[in-house]
Amino acid sequence: MTTLVLLHAFPMDSRMWDGVRSLPGLITPDLPGFGSAPLPASEPDLGAMADAVIASMDDEGVERAVVGGCSMGGYVAMALLRKAPARVSGLLLVDTKATADAQEAAANRLAVAERAEREGITPWLADAMLPSLVADPAHAGVVRELMESQDPAAVAWAQRAMAARPASHDVLRTSVPTLVVHGAEDRMMPVALAEELADLTSGTLTVLPGVGHLPPIEAPEAFAAAVRPWLAGL
């Protein structure tokens, strides 16, 4: 059976995958600082997150896996592919992108990091992000609960790590099988970014209608239905 390692979005934890745990071979580690995972002592760097995922794979006795992630989790999957390509048998990229942050976006992340350290994150972070995260407000309560249970220090660390991340176009020109899944109503990342990922990887693109930035939460059945046959064909 193919092992599938799925990495959560910011600022959440592995519970965002609870609706799709029927997927075969699924492993969903908490990224450093989120959920039950300790915050790294290192400087903010997505490579440190990738190292933690590799350590989780080692703990599970997994040599190679399909590695995927949603949003920030996708950035970490790309960082892992850059660091340890031999550990990656395929990619599942969910509402994420290959580009680095533009100057304004990076500055905004740094401002969020500073505010999280100064004030904590409740309720302003969810207030600011939720309109861009979910297409249907019915899912807002679950997403807010996930967000507000996180450590403000982890929020700050991850924002600084994402602000410093490189573009990943080079590493995505790879021969590993790739599935790109994207919500059609994603207001944070337009579908054009998913089309770019599919072109870069020569992968398969599935766009889920009526879904925003968090398909595993907003449409778990549709998400699993897109992933399961692709996994079975590997």
Side-chain angles (χ1 to χ4, degrees), residues 144-185:
R144 179 181 289 274
E145 182 179 354
L146 281 171
M147 294 174 69
E148 294 186 345
S149 66
Q150 307 306 325
D151 182 353
V155 167
W157 193 97
Q159 284 284 53
R160 292 186 175 114
M162 287 189 285
R165 76 185 188 282
S168 292
H169 300 80
D170 56 340
V171 76
L172 289 173
R173 294 187 179 96
T174 175
S175 59
V176 299
T178 301
L179 174 64
V180 180
V181 179
H182 207 90
E185 305 303 321

Side-chain angles (χ1 to χ4, degrees), residues 1 5 28 44 47 67 72 108 113 130 150 153 160-161 179 183 195 201 224:
M1 178 188 296
V5 178
T28 59
V67 180
M72 177 181 73
N108 182 64
L130 275 170
Q150 307 306 325
R160 292 186 175 114
L179 174 64
E195 293 169 344
T201 60

Side-chain angles (χ1 to χ4, degrees), residues 94-172:
V94 185
D95 290 77
T96 191
K97 60 185 178 181
T99 55
D101 279 349
Q103 185 174 356
E104 181 179 353
N108 182 64
R109 288 193 192 278
L110 298 180
V112 169
E114 291 170 3
R115 186 175 180 185
E117 290 175 328
R118 186 174 65 248
E119 301 177 18
I121 59 171
T122 304
W124 64 270
L125 185 62
D127 289 346
M129 292 186 68
L130 275 170
S132 298
L133 289 178
V134 294
D136 183 347
H139 301 290
V142 170
V143 175
R144 179 181 289 274
E145 182 179 354
L146 281 171
M147 294 174 69
E148 294 186 345
S149 66
Q150 307 306 325
D151 182 353
V155 167
W157 193 97
Q159 284 284 53
R160 292 186 175 114
M162 287 189 285
R165 76 185 188 282
S168 292
H169 300 80
D170 56 340
V171 76
L172 289 173

Side-chain angles (χ1 to χ4, degrees), residues 10-233:
F10 170 90
M12 302 180 198
D13 58 44
S14 59
R15 290 174 292 171
M16 74 166 286
W17 305 109
D18 282 354
V20 298
R21 295 203 178 277
S22 62
L23 289 171
L26 183 60
I27 298 173
T28 59
D30 287 327
L31 291 172
F34 295 93
S36 61
L39 189 66
S42 63
E43 290 296 312
D45 177 19
L46 292 184
M49 286 189 165
D51 287 337
V53 176
I54 292 168
S56 295
M57 292 170 63
D58 291 342
D59 290 343
E60 297 282 350
V62 174
E63 181 61 30
R64 296 185 79 220
V66 173
V67 180
C70 181
S71 196
M72 177 181 73
Y75 304 155
V76 179
M78 296 174 212
L80 196 159
L81 181 63
R82 187 185 300 277
K83 289 178 73 80
R87 306 297 296 269
V88 181
S89 61
L91 288 171
L92 172 54
L93 302 175
V94 185
D95 290 77
T96 191
K97 60 185 178 181
T99 55
D101 279 349
Q103 185 174 356
E104 181 179 353
N108 182 64
R109 288 193 192 278
L110 298 180
V112 169
E114 291 170 3
R115 186 175 180 185
E117 290 175 328
R118 186 174 65 248
E119 301 177 18
I121 59 171
T122 304
W124 64 270
L125 185 62
D127 289 346
M129 292 186 68
L130 275 170
S132 298
L133 289 178
V134 294
D136 183 347
H139 301 290
V142 170
V143 175
R144 179 181 289 274
E145 182 179 354
L146 281 171
M147 294 174 69
E148 294 186 345
S149 66
Q150 307 306 325
D151 182 353
V155 167
W157 193 97
Q159 284 284 53
R160 292 186 175 114
M162 287 189 285
R165 76 185 188 282
S168 292
H169 300 80
D170 56 340
V171 76
L172 289 173
R173 294 187 179 96
T174 175
S175 59
V176 299
T178 301
L179 174 64
V180 180
V181 179
H182 207 90
E185 305 303 321
D186 189 340
R187 291 187 285 272
M188 186 171 287
M189 297 187 188
V191 173
L193 292 169
E195 293 169 344
E196 179 185 38
L197 288 177
D199 288 343
L200 282 168
T201 60
S202 299
T204 301
L205 172 61
T206 298
V207 178
L208 301 180
V211 177
H213 191 63
L214 303 170
I217 294 176
E218 298 178 76
E221 292 182 2
F223 177 79
V227 173
R228 191 174 286 110
W230 176 78
L231 277 178

